[in-house]
Amino acid sequence: MILLTFVLLLVTFTCGARYSADWTSLDARPLPSWYGEAKVGIFIHWGVFSVPGFDSEWFWWHWQGEKPPDPKCVAYMDNNYPPGFSYPEFAPQFNAQFFKPEEWADIFNASGAKYVVLTAKHHEGFTNWQSPNSWNWNSVDTGPHRDLVGDLGEAVRNRSLHFGLYNSLYEWFHPLYLKDKQNGFKTQEFVLHKLLPELYNMVVRYRPEVIWSDGDWEAPDTYWNSTQFLAWLYNDSPVKDTVVTNDRWGAGCACKHGGYYNCEDKYTPGQLPSHKWEKCTSVDKLSWGYRRNMKMSDLMDLPTIIEDLVHTVALGGNYLLNVGPTPDGMIPVVFEERLRGVGAWLEVNGEAVYSSEPWRVQMENSSVPVWYTSKGDSIYAILTRKPPKPTVQLLEPKTSANTKVMLLGNLLPLSWSPIKPNAGLMIVLPELADTAGKAWTLKLDGVK
Ligand SMILES: *[C@@H]1O[C@H](CO)[C@@H](O)[C@H](O)[C@H]1NC(C)=O
Ligand SMILES: *[C@@H]1O[C@H](CO)[C@@H](O)[C@H](O)[C@H]1NC(C)=O
Ligand SMILES: *[C@@H]1O[C@H](CO)[C@@H](O)[C@H](O)[C@H]1NC(C)=O
Ligand SMILES: *[C@@H]1O[C@H](CO)[C@@H](O)[C@H](O)[C@H]1NC(C)=O
C-alpha cells in the first residue's frame, strides 16, 4: 500500500497533472506565474483591414456583411474605389514595406510592457503567417510576402518579452463556416478542416505564450472543439507549461471558463473580481485597427491611460493596451509617444505595479483618488491626481511605530502623522514633479 502510494506520487510529480477535455478539469489549471507578474501587455491589431483604414477592423463586415450595411462604409467605397472593387483586393496593398520588427519591439519594451499579443488572424480570416489552411489569403502569399508573426515573435522574444497571438475562431465569410452556420452548427466542416489544423500549426510553429481567443460567440464550445484543443494545449503542446489563454471559447464561456477572464472588451469591474482577469483597451477609443481618419480627440491621453492601468492593476487585472499599425508597417508616432509615456511612468512607479497583489482595500477617495497595491510587506498608494495641497490623508492604512513613507522616485522618507491612533495618516508631500503620467506613488512600510 505504501509502495503504491509512493508510485502514484512519483507519477504525479514526474508527469504533472493531466487535464481532461472538460471545463471542470481545464478551469482548475493554475495560471503560469509569469502572467500575473507581467501586468502590462501590448495588443496589436494588424491585417488587411489596416489598408482601407476606415471605420475599424470590422470594416468588411460593416460594408458587406451586416444587413443593412453601414452607409458610411458604402459611401467610402463608392467615393474612393472603382465599382466592383472587392475586399480581397486590398491585400496586395498591405505592403508592410517599413516594418522593422526590432524597432517595434524596442518601442514595446520601452513602454514597460512584459508581453505582446499580435492578431495572427482576425475575423476576416487573413493570416499573418503562411498558414497551410489559408491559401493565398495570408501575408506570405500576398501583401507583405513576409512571415509577420515569425518576424515579430523573434524580435519580441529577443527583448525578453513574452509573445502571444490573437486568433479569431470564426471567419465572417468562410464558405465552410457559413455552411456549418446554416446547418445550425450541427456539422463541423470549418472546425475540422480549417480552424483546428491551422490552430495546431500556429501553436507548434510559433509557440505563443498567450492564446487570445475571440470570435467564439455564435456557436457553443462543443462546435469549436475548444475543450479538446485546450486539453492538448495544456498537456502535450510545446507551450504546455507557460501558455495562458483567455475565456472566449464558445457562446457563454466569457467570464466563466478558460484561463484568465476578459469578460467583454474594455471590461472594468467596480470591485475586486475573484478570478484573474485582463482589461484590453485601445489608445484609439473608436477602433482597434488603424484608421486613416483618426483625430487627436479620439485618443486616450496619457493620464487617462495611466489611471486606467492603475485602476486595473489595483483590482488584480492585467492591462493590455492596443495600437493599430499602418499597412506599411509603422506604429503611428502618436501611439509611440503614448507607449513611451507609459514606460517613463513605469520606470519610476513600476515597483507598485509589476508582481504586485491587490491589497485589503483597493481604493479610497481622499482629496484625490488613491489606488492601493501591495507587494511583500509594503503597500503602495497611487495618487492619480495631484493633491490640491502639499499633504494627503490616507484613512485605510493602520500605522505603527515603524511606519515609513517614501515617494517613489524620491530618496528621502516623508514625514507623516497619525490621524487617529493606528488608523490613518496625514503625509506631507514634497514638490511633486509634473511627470507626463500625472500619477504619483507613495510606498508605505510598517503599516497594516
Ligand atoms: C537580438 O538581440 C541581439 C543583441 O541585443 C542583436 O544583436 C540581434 O540582432 C537581435 N536579433 C533580433 C532578431 O532582434
Ligand atoms: C527594455 O526596457 C528596459 C526597461 O525600460 C531597459 O532597461 C532595457 O535596456 C530594454 N531592453 C532592450 C533590449 O532594449
Ligand atoms: C472534436 O470533438 C469530438 C468530440 O466532441 C471528438 O470526437 C473529436 O475527436 C474532436 N476532434 C478534434 C480534431 O479535436
Ligand atoms: C470614489 O469616488 C468615485 C467617484 O465619485 C466613486 O465612483 C467611487 O465609488 C468612490 N470610491 C470609494 C471607495 O468610495
Side-chain angles (χ1 to χ4, degrees), residues 372-387:
Y372 289 103
T373 64
S374 70
K375 196 191 293 180
D377 292 333
S378 303
I379 71 164
Y380 299 90
I382 307 171
L383 318 179
T384 50
R385 250 158 264 160
K386 196 169 191 165

Side-chain angles (χ1 to χ4, degrees), residues 102 154-155 158-159:
E102 292 78 18
E154 199 180 322
N158 199 7
R159 281 149 189 83

Side-chain angles (χ1 to χ4, degrees), residues 188 192 196 200 222 225 228-229:
Q188 287 184 295
L192 298 181
L196 289 177
Y200 284 98
T222 47
N225 264 34
Q228 288 84 4
F229 170 74

Side-chain angles (χ1 to χ4, degrees), residues 117-400:
V117 179
L118 169 69
T119 49
K121 183 192 79 171
H122 202 260
H123 311 323
E124 63 187 11
F126 186 89
T127 57
N128 281 331
W129 88 97
Q130 193 168 31
S131 162
N133 306 92
S134 192
W135 183 76
N136 221 25
W137 192 231
N138 68 71
S139 68
V140 178
D141 291 348
T142 180
H145 296 287
R146 190 163 173 184
D147 181 1
L148 304 177
V149 171
D151 291 353
L152 183 64
E154 199 180 322
V156 161
R157 292 198 162 110
N158 199 7
R159 281 149 189 83
S160 302
L161 307 180
H162 297 270
F163 186 57
L165 293 173
Y166 166 108
N167 178 72
S168 174
L169 299 179
Y170 88 150
E171 294 176 25
W172 291 317
F173 301 107
H174 197 289
L176 293 180
Y177 181 70
L178 295 178
K179 201 169 143 193
D180 287 345
K181 189 167 165 176
Q182 208 161 39
N183 294 335
F185 298 114
K186 301 252 172 344
T187 54
Q188 287 184 295
E189 292 204 27
F190 172 74
V191 174
L192 298 181
H193 302 297
K194 169 69 164 64
L195 174 68
L196 289 177
E198 186 164 73
L199 205 46
Y200 284 98
N201 178 272
M202 185 186 92
V203 173
V204 171
R205 218 166 145 169
Y206 299 108
R207 307 184 172 213
E209 289 181 282
V210 181
I211 297 188
W212 211 102
S213 184
D214 197 19
D216 61 320
W217 49 80
E218 289 190 346
D221 63 84
T222 47
Y223 169 72
W224 303 115
N225 264 34
S226 296
T227 55
Q228 288 84 4
F229 170 74
L230 289 170
W232 170 79
L233 188 71
Y234 296 168
N235 288 329
D236 299 310
S237 81
V239 284
K240 65 187 173 66
D241 297 323
T242 54
V243 72
V244 297
T245 69
N246 66 347
D247 55 353
R248 297 189 181 174
W249 295 104
C253 285
C255 237
K256 197 162 153 206
H257 293 305
Y260 65 79
Y261 294 168
N262 281 118
C263 300
E264 60 209 52
D265 289 359
K266 307 188 184 179
Y267 177 59
T268 310
Q271 51 194 5
L272 187 65
S274 58
H275 190 92
K276 181 64 191 178
W277 62 287
E278 175 189 71
K279 176 169 185 170
C280 61
T281 192
S282 185
V283 177
D284 177 359
K285 288 183 275 187
L286 303 184
S287 177
W288 303 82
Y290 172 64
R291 288 188 307 128
R292 293 158 60 203
N293 56 341
M294 168 172 83
K295 296 190 173 67
M296 194 65 135
S297 55
D298 300 333
L299 309 185
M300 284 202 283
D301 63 17
L302 186 61
T304 305
I305 294 171
I306 300 291
E307 180 156 30
D308 200 26
L309 185 160
V310 166
H311 176 160
T312 300
V313 171
L315 292 183
N318 273 26
Y319 193 68
L320 185 63
L321 183 62
N322 177 78
V323 293
T326 69
D328 38 34
M330 295 298 293
I331 310 275
V333 291
V334 65
F335 292 159
E336 175 177 349
E337 186 188 41
R338 292 289 188 278
L339 297 189
R340 291 189 187 279
V342 173
W345 186 82
L346 284 167
E347 186 83 23
V348 175
N349 300 277
E351 183 185 331
V353 172
Y354 304 120
S355 300
S356 68
E357 305 277 350
W359 190 48
R360 153 171 83 73
V361 176
Q362 290 84 51
M363 86 92 60
E364 71 172 293
N365 289 311
S366 179
S367 52
V368 292
V370 180
W371 292 94
Y372 289 103
T373 64
S374 70
K375 196 191 293 180
D377 292 333
S378 303
I379 71 164
Y380 299 90
I382 307 171
L383 318 179
T384 50
R385 250 158 264 160
K386 196 169 191 165
K389 292 194 228 150
T391 56
V392 69
Q393 284 194 21
L394 304 179
L395 297 180
E396 296 295 345
K398 297 183 173 44
T399 57
S400 69

